[in-house]
Amino acid sequence: VANTADDDVSQIDLTTRSVVNSIPVGRTPTGIAVSGGSVWVTNSGARTVSRINAATGRVVQEIEVGNAPRAIVSVGEALWVANVGASPVALASDDSSMWVASEDLASVSRVDPNTGSTIAVVQLGVRPAALALGSDWLWVASSDGTLSWIDRETNRVSATVPVGAALSGIALTDDAVWLGDRAGTVHRVD
């Protein structure tokens, strides 16, 4: 979990649902990706990405990436970073597609990571804030407090439900969708 106000990230034990480690990173951490035995954290206020060794929980590298990085995703052997000011606010990926949330356009685009071409644009009608990719759905947390899911086969919104305050983060487990809001509350949707 990125703790923006504390300039650290929390490692949470999913069994006990408790924080087991807090790791200092750069100023204003916002996005997290896991790849290649490392945890990668965007630090919006520091204009960097921190690389944390997942086994030791220690920062092993700081990479300068430009203006206010917010979202990060791993695709194959590459990391993709979305910087604030260019409208993309969140990224999600698998081997065949990268999903890009545009706050300004109130949409999510599906992009081929090999060619960079747009496969589909899904209009949401609300401003997306965070994305999480499941086996059948792309889950979208929006700043208006709603959760939507997009069918990955049809590239269409299947449903949208109200959750609460302005949402800012999302994560998936085997049995639930977890959402964080700007008021500091974590919501579980089964």
Side-chain angles (χ1 to χ4, degrees):
V1 176
N3 303 308
T4 302
D6 296 328
D7 296 336
D8 66 15
V9 294
S10 297
Q11 180 182 357
I12 297 175
D13 182 307
L14 294 178
T15 304
T16 64
R17 296 186 181 160
S18 61
V19 174
V20 294
N21 193 11
S22 292
I23 304 163
V25 292
R27 273 192 353 254
T28 324
T30 53
I32 297 176
V34 178
S35 178
S38 295
V39 178
W40 303 84
V41 181
T42 56
N43 303 305
S44 187
R47 298 177 164 207
T48 63
V49 171
S50 297
R51 179 181 180 189
I52 300 170
N53 180 308
T56 66
R58 294 178 187 241
V59 175
V60 296
Q61 187 177 13
E62 291 287 334
I63 304 166
E64 291 190 28
V65 293
N67 186 44
R70 182 166 174 185
I72 187 168
V73 69
S74 170
V75 181
E77 296 294 316
L79 289 171
W80 294 76
V81 178
N83 291 349
V84 172
S87 182
V89 294
L91 303 169
S93 72
D94 61 15
D95 291 337
S96 64
S97 298
M98 182 167 61
W99 298 83
V100 182
S102 173
E103 189 174 50
D104 294 342
L105 300 176
S107 66
V108 175
S109 297
R110 186 175 193 170
V111 176
D112 181 320
N114 298 312
T115 66
S117 62
T118 301
I119 298 167
V121 177
V122 181
Q123 294 298 323
L124 298 171
V126 296
R127 300 177 99 173
L131 302 175
L133 196 59
S135 58
D136 297 323
W137 312 101
L138 174 72
W139 299 88
V140 184
S142 295
S143 59
D144 73 335
T146 59
L147 171 66
S148 301
W149 48 101
I150 296 171
D151 184 316
R152 293 177 57 185
E153 292 277 327
T154 65
N155 298 317
R156 294 191 176 147
V157 175
S158 294
T160 299
V161 296
V163 176
L167 300 174
S168 59
I170 187 169
L172 302 178
T173 59
D174 290 338
D175 61 348
V177 178
W178 294 87
L179 301 157
D181 67 32
R182 293 188 181 140
T185 304
V186 175
H187 306 269
R188 178 185 170 127
V189 178
D190 294 318

